[in-house]
Amino acid sequence: MDYLYSGNVLVVDLQKGETRESILDEELIESKLGGAAVNLELFKQYESMDPVVIGSGLFTSTMIPGSAMSVVTTRSPTADRIMHSPIVNFMGAELKLAGFDFIVVHGHSPKPVYLWLHDEIADLLPADEIWGQDTWKTVDYIREEQGEERIQVLSIGPAGEKGGSIAQAVVNYWSEGDKIGLGKRLGDMRLKAICTRGMGELELADPASFLALCLPAMEDARTKLVDSQGIEGLMPNMDLKNFNEVRHRNSACFGCPWPCRTFAKYNESPAVLKEAHTEPGMQIIDAPGFAALLSEGFDAIEASRLMETSSRIGVEPVGVSPMLKGLTYQEAKSRIVEMGSSQTNVSSVPTIKGACRSDLFSPFAPNGGEEHTLALAYVLGICPRYAVKTGLDRTRVSQFIKACTDLEVEPATLEDIERSVLV
Amino acid sequence: MINNESIINTNAVRWMTMNIDTLKCTGCGLCELACSYRRDKVFTTMRSSIMLHLDDKRNYFGVMVKLPNDDLILGRPEGIDIQRSGESKDEEGTGAKPILLREACDECGDEEPHCVRICPPRCLSVVK
């Protein structure tokens, strides 16, 4: 593949402790484009090995608005079916820039390991020193060990190691898109973390045409997103209680015009702008998780702190919330910490009001939408929240595909690809 | 401390016609891609003259720009500052390609700077 992909598929056999690269099938990209659609094809190839497949979308890591996402496709242990889960923040983009378009992981490692991806190199490294540690310590360890502050880390906490289906795989320090039990899957594999730093580059077919499409697309995004920021922009009807006492800055994932995340700064004044406290608070990316904790009676500061504890232990906060009913803050915190020392299970993927096709896509986007928009977002690598908020114009998508890759893909073909995901 | 107004009147950066409203920055990093696109028509975060500084655990983010004399403009949340060439290297950025090893910003020659054109919250702007 000449454009937007480096052309490498990585296969990781954890049982043997081996990594192997293969060439990305160009015909597969021409017919399925990328993301969830290609992941499904790779999943079928390795189905007997019950793999975890991680793939970047066709547009991931470009200047196209919202192109922050890579996609995990695997058998959800809670739903017991194949599901897709987003990886956003900066990790979705960095995975692609590390030189591996798609990654297939299978088997069970005899010893805890982590996977370090950088510059078209894949290293399986011992995780003995971080096995048993929470996700925050895991991220700090890996960044220190590999000497890069911008390394992106998908990791599990003690809950994932114990193998409970409540476990969540966390991106860097924050609860994010995994609501399908990926944390349990990685724990069962004894894969503590997947981390990456993207030092590569992506080429495109027609740079001038691309820019001519990209600038008006960004202007459209600005218009549609005006006055919509932070977690209340994502969930306008959420009662945030006393959140203003800890509200810090809104921020965006890689390349996204919609800053739908809000930082809660509770260990120092939220008015502090300089680098000060080393662990000042919690990034609320998982607004549905935060809302679930608020609905159990915790105030915004308590809920923010419980989000931190959930992220550290590596548990999915929407599923956790009902287990905290009637508890004080301290009791609730202790209950979550206990989930790191015993196996805690949930019987289903959490129900999030507004989430579309939560039987197929991790319910990361609480802002509605319809299934074809989500399917196309998961193919292209556009954040589903952003895609739902602004819509995806298929004519414009076709034009972007042409400018980026020289492929002629009509809107009707896009719909066929969407249908292949909506199984 | 040099504030947003004074930066364009400082000798070391008088050539610079861009302004940075650091509190508008959302930390998305698109400026890096826009810069690599303009320079080499590729998407990478390794070649840009403007670089996102991100400490995600502290929610501390901003941008830095390399000037032709190797000074750096540091667009930090608390304001804009200049790091003179040869001063502390704390803000060079870690890892594969620190900003001091990159090409300096040339403001995209005669074009409107690409980072300015793409910046979603318009935290980067051209001073008329």
Side-chain angles (χ1 to χ4, degrees):
Chain A
M1 188 71 190
D2 292 331
Y3 306 114
L4 293 194
Y5 283 120
S6 57
N8 298 318
V9 177
L10 177 71
V11 180
V12 181
D13 182 339
L14 291 169
Q15 187 70 40
K16 294 180 179 175
E18 294 176 352
T19 62
R20 173 173 61 83
E21 290 176 36
S22 61
I23 304 297
L24 179 62
D25 181 351
E26 285 195 30
E27 289 183 5
L28 183 58
I29 296 302
E30 288 170 8
S31 62
K32 298 292 183 184
L33 296 181
V38 172
N39 279 7
L40 280 171
E41 297 300 316
L42 291 169
F43 188 91
K44 287 174 194 167
Q45 287 181 30
Y46 291 87
E47 189 159 13
S48 64
M49 297 170 182
D50 198 15
V52 171
V53 182
I54 303 172
S56 50
L58 185 69
F59 292 164
T60 305
S61 305
T62 70
M63 287 159 58
I64 296 171
S67 55
M69 183 171 69
S70 286
V71 182
V72 178
T73 300
T74 193
R75 178 183 54 79
S76 163
T78 46
D80 196 25
R81 60 162 292 163
I82 309 305
M83 291 190 71
H84 308 285
S85 184
I87 300 177
V88 287
N89 203 332
F90 275 57
M91 180 148 194
E94 295 270 1
L95 274 167
K96 193 177 196 181
L97 292 171
F100 300 104
D101 306 316
F102 296 88
I103 304 158
V104 179
V105 184
H106 64 81
H108 301 268
S109 175
K111 291 183 176 179
V113 291
Y114 74 94
L115 180 61
W116 165 221
L117 307 170
H118 58 108
D119 208 16
E120 299 191 7
I121 297 169
D123 293 321
L124 267 177
L125 300 171
D128 303 303
E129 293 198 34
I130 43 178
W131 195 255
Q133 299 291 335
D134 70 35
T135 60
W136 287 34
K137 288 176 180 168
T138 297
V139 175
D140 290 344
Y141 172 89
I142 289 173
R143 288 180 173 176
E144 176 73 23
E145 190 80 354
Q146 303 302 340
E148 275 247 34
E149 291 173 2
R150 272 178 68 168
I151 289 174
Q152 303 296 299
V153 183
L154 177 77
S155 72
I156 59 169
E161 296 173 15
K162 292 296 177 188
S165 58
I166 192 74
Q168 181 181 56
V170 171
V171 175
N172 297 343
Y173 306 100
W174 322 122
S175 169
E176 197 187 275
D178 169 28
K179 297 183 179 298
I180 67 170
L182 177 63
K184 172 180 169 52
R185 294 300 318 278
L186 299 184
D188 290 346
M189 293 173 146
R190 305 192 91 184
L191 182 57
K192 178 68 174 176
I194 299 170
C195 51
T196 184
R197 178 70 168 107
M199 293 179 270
E201 61 189 38
L202 305 177
E203 297 184 4
L204 65 169
D206 185 348
S209 295
F210 174 83
L211 193 64
L213 288 166
C214 194
L215 293 174
M218 184 58 73
E219 192 52 42
D220 284 355
R222 291 188 188 105
T223 303
K224 289 176 178 173
L225 297 169
V226 68
D227 296 331
S228 179
Q229 286 206 6
I231 53 177
E232 59 268 69
L234 178 67
M235 298 179 71
N237 299 318
M238 179 165 43
D239 177 7
L240 288 169
K241 299 183 179 175
N242 57 334
F243 188 65
N244 281 339
E245 293 176 30
V246 291
R247 179 192 297 274
H248 193 230
R249 301 178 71 191
N250 298 327
S251 63
C253 296
F254 180 91
C256 188
W258 196 20
C260 73
R261 327 179 313 178
T262 304
F263 196 88
K265 211 171 199 182
Y266 41 77
N267 287 330
E268 67 181 353
S269 166
V272 173
L273 291 172
K274 296 174 73 172
E275 287 183 300
H277 199 291
T278 55
E279 294 181 350
M282 177 73 196
Q283 183 73 268
I284 311 293
I285 301 174
D286 185 2
F290 185 58
L293 289 163
L294 290 172
S295 72
E296 292 299 338
F298 300 106
D299 69 26
I301 300 168
E302 292 170 334
S304 301
R305 290 182 181 276
L306 292 174
M307 286 291 289
E308 176 189 328
T309 308
S310 297
S311 290
R312 284 180 180 272
I313 302 300
V315 292
E316 197 288 306
V318 180
V320 163
S321 293
M323 303 176 194
L324 309 180
K325 189 176 288 294
L327 302 183
T328 65
Y329 164 72
Q330 282 299 340
E331 290 169 339
K333 182 177 179 180
S334 298
R335 178 74 185 93
I336 296 171
V337 170
E338 286 169 12
M339 293 176 193
S341 55
S342 61
Q343 195 176 91
T344 305
N345 292 303
V346 288
S347 57
S348 63
V349 171
T351 301
I352 293 175
K353 188 178 177 184
C356 174
R357 287 298 303 269
S358 56
D359 61 324
L360 186 57
F361 304 109
S362 181
F364 174 66
N367 48 335
E370 51 87 31
E371 61 182 22
H372 275 268
T373 300
L374 255 69
L376 186 55
Y378 273 81
V379 169
L380 300 175
I382 306 288
C383 173
R385 291 176 171 180
Y386 174 80
V388 167
K389 177 74 174 176
T390 63
L392 289 176
D393 179 335
R394 284 171 183 76
T395 301
R396 180 178 269 168
V397 168
S398 294
Q399 292 169 340
F400 266 125
I401 293 172
K402 174 67 176 170
C404 288
T405 67
D406 213 21
L407 293 175
E408 301 273 4
V409 180
E410 297 298 321
T413 307
L414 291 175
E415 290 183 20
D416 290 341
I417 296 170
E418 292 158 19
R419 273 190 283 275
S420 75
V421 173
L422 295 168
V423 290
Chain B
M1 177 67 66
I2 300 169
N3 63 33
N4 292 2
E5 292 301 315
S6 65
I7 188 166
I8 56 172
N9 299 318
T10 305
N11 285 340
V13 293
R14 180 169 289 165
W15 65 275
M16 198 77 187
T17 60
M18 281 169 53
N19 201 358
I20 307 171
D21 188 340
T22 55
L23 289 180
K24 277 189 179 176
C25 177
T26 59
C28 76
L30 258 182
C31 49
E32 292 186 344
L33 285 192
C35 191
S36 73
Y37 166 88
R38 184 263 169 173
R39 286 190 176 285
D40 300 305
K41 300 295 181 279
V42 298
F43 300 125
T44 178
T45 59
M46 291 290 134
R47 298 193 202 170
S48 51
S49 308
I50 186 168
M51 192 170 168
L52 175 67
H53 174 77
L54 173 64
D55 182 341
D56 51 352
K57 195 192 259 187
R58 291 184 171 104
N59 199 39
Y60 183 87
F61 50 88
V63 295
M64 46 190 163
V65 183
K66 183 183 176 184
L67 305 183
N69 63 357
D70 283 350
D71 286 353
L72 296 180
I73 298 175
L74 307 179
R76 302 192 271 207
E78 63 271 30
I80 293 177
D81 207 346
I82 301 292
Q83 181 181 291
R84 303 295 177 192
S85 173
E87 288 182 353
S88 166
K89 300 184 182 222
D90 291 346
E91 297 288 347
E92 290 177 2
T94 60
K97 195 162 185 183
I99 195 166
L100 286 179
L101 298 180
R102 303 179 183 208
E103 295 290 318
C105 174
D106 64 356
E107 297 185 282
C108 295
D110 296 331
E111 298 178 272
E112 184 180 14
H114 283 54
C115 56
V116 171
R117 296 164 83 182
I118 202 70
C119 176
R122 296 203 185 285
C123 83
L124 303 171
S125 60
V126 173
V127 179
K128 302 292 183 185

